[in-house]
Amino acid sequence: MKKNLHPEYRPVVFRDASADYAFLTRSTATSAKTVEWTDGNVYPVVDVDVSSGSHPFYTGRGRVIDTAGRVEKFKQRYGKS
């Protein structure tokens, strides 16, 4: 493999400020901001808009869209009677 071709793969903290949720994982993402993690080490931090802590699918606060009856409504409106 060629040297210096791929970005550095290192521990990075991803933080969702809207849900007060952060997790440490490995990534090639870069950031000038840093944060001290619970283990006492300092890691780069990437702020994200949506995470599993704030996404409605994972939190259960999603709204249910009525999908039942859409075919029937279409047939009633545009189908032959």
Side-chain angles (χ1 to χ4, degrees):
M1 285 181 54
K2 294 181 181 179
K3 295 198 182 280
N4 300 325
L5 180 66
H6 297 286
E8 182 184 356
Y9 188 65
R10 63 182 186 280
V12 176
V13 174
F14 287 91
R15 179 175 58 192
D16 183 359
S18 65
D20 194 31
Y21 178 70
F23 58 94
L24 177 66
T25 187
R26 295 181 57 84
S27 176
T28 59
T30 59
S31 177
K33 296 187 284 184
T34 60
V35 67
E36 184 175 347
W37 194 244
T38 56
D39 62 1
N41 294 327
V42 176
Y43 299 106
V45 63
V46 176
D47 291 321
V48 295
D49 294 329
V50 178
S51 70
S52 61
S54 63
H55 194 279
F57 178 80
Y58 295 106
T59 60
R61 294 187 310 231
R63 58 188 173 111
V64 177
I65 298 173
D66 178 32
T67 57
R70 287 190 177 188
V71 173
E72 290 79 13
K73 287 179 186 177
F74 178 83
K75 286 182 180 179
Q76 183 181 22
R77 187 177 293 167
Y78 301 108
K80 294 181 182 178
S81 301

